[in-house]
Amino acid sequence: MKIKEFKYSENFCEENIWHLCQNPELEGFTKKVLIISNSNRNCSFRFQKSPNGDELVWWDYHVILLATKPELQLIYDFDSTLEFPSSLKNYLEATFQTEHIQEDKDLPGFKSIGSEDFIHSFISDRGHMKDEQGNWLSSPPKWPTIGNNGNLPLPGLLDFSETSKERIFSLAEIYLGEN
């Protein structure tokens, strides 16, 4: 699969993955949307598209897709410089090298949302991509905003506090397939 074959808009990972969930090439896979962040909203990733190559990139959050079949677990990350898609094991081991992390609160946390729930319930008004004056921080996608009647607004999905409505999985739990 080639990234250029999919709908993509830089800095709108949640909307890119929403479209990918509906791609007919992924029929037959069990798909889970993984929202990655932590209570600090500051997570380190390696091998992300950036001027620094494989240097650490710090995201406030990131959204990827886990697509599985028996004996096959693939990660789709439009912003990764790793193979597209990557095996879950290779992606996690390359992307989340945590030896530099000093405190547990800086480790990545993962929320896992079934793709059907995400498709039908996700809401993105893109408000998080505007400054205080209402100017775009990054050019918005050319497609219409996603959702208006759902119950999964982006701000709620980005709540990685102890009061989060969704379960937060650790890196080890994702690696072991406990999501």
Side-chain angles (χ1 to χ4, degrees), residues 4-21:
K4 64 183 178 184
E5 296 171 6
F6 300 100
K7 284 188 173 184
Y8 175 80
S9 187
E10 186 175 305
N11 296 317
F12 288 85
C13 56
E14 64 281 356
E15 293 193 29
N16 297 331
I17 294 301
W18 185 86
H19 286 286
L20 181 61
C21 285

Side-chain angles (χ1 to χ4, degrees), residues 118-132:
F118 194 70
I119 291 166
H120 298 293
S121 300
F122 176 65
I123 303 167
S124 179
D125 67 2
R126 301 178 181 160
H128 67 292
M129 293 303 291
K130 292 185 177 183
D131 65 17
E132 292 175 4

Side-chain angles (χ1 to χ4, degrees), residues 21-79:
C21 285
Q22 300 170 71
N23 190 294
E25 289 188 43
L26 294 177
E27 257 183 52
F29 282 88
T30 299
K31 298 171 286 206
K32 293 183 180 176
V33 175
L34 300 180
I35 297 108
I36 308 164
S37 190
N38 56 32
S39 60
N40 293 334
R41 297 274 303 266
N42 196 27
C43 248
S44 64
F45 291 73
R46 286 196 181 271
F47 300 100
Q48 295 286 292
K49 294 174 186 169
S50 77
N52 300 325
D54 71 348
E55 298 291 318
L56 284 177
V57 171
W58 296 85
W59 291 109
D60 55 346
Y61 73 94
H62 194 44
V63 181
I64 61 176
L65 183 70
L66 171 61
T68 61
K69 284 185 175 181
E71 305 302 317
L72 184 62
Q73 297 175 309
L74 300 173
I75 291 290
Y76 290 82
D77 180 351
F78 287 108
D79 298 301

Side-chain angles (χ1 to χ4, degrees), residues 113-149:
I113 310 291
S115 64
E116 289 301 313
D117 285 342
F118 194 70
I119 291 166
H120 298 293
S121 300
F122 176 65
I123 303 167
S124 179
D125 67 2
R126 301 178 181 160
H128 67 292
M129 293 303 291
K130 292 185 177 183
D131 65 17
E132 292 175 4
Q133 290 75 39
N135 300 311
W136 289 107
L137 299 171
S138 182
S139 297
K142 300 202 182 316
W143 56 75
T145 57
I146 294 172
N148 52 17
N149 295 323

Side-chain angles (χ1 to χ4, degrees), residues 80-152:
S80 177
T81 58
L82 299 172
E83 185 178 9
F84 184 85
S86 292
S87 75
L88 174 66
K89 180 180 186 286
N90 290 346
Y91 181 86
L92 294 178
E93 288 176 359
T95 303
F96 301 106
Q97 298 173 8
T98 58
E99 65 277 356
H100 65 281
I101 295 178
Q102 303 296 317
E103 298 183 40
D104 285 348
K105 65 181 180 166
D106 295 324
L107 290 169
F110 298 78
K111 290 186 176 183
S112 177
I113 310 291
S115 64
E116 289 301 313
D117 285 342
F118 194 70
I119 291 166
H120 298 293
S121 300
F122 176 65
I123 303 167
S124 179
D125 67 2
R126 301 178 181 160
H128 67 292
M129 293 303 291
K130 292 185 177 183
D131 65 17
E132 292 175 4
Q133 290 75 39
N135 300 311
W136 289 107
L137 299 171
S138 182
S139 297
K142 300 202 182 316
W143 56 75
T145 57
I146 294 172
N148 52 17
N149 295 323
N151 59 0
L152 287 175

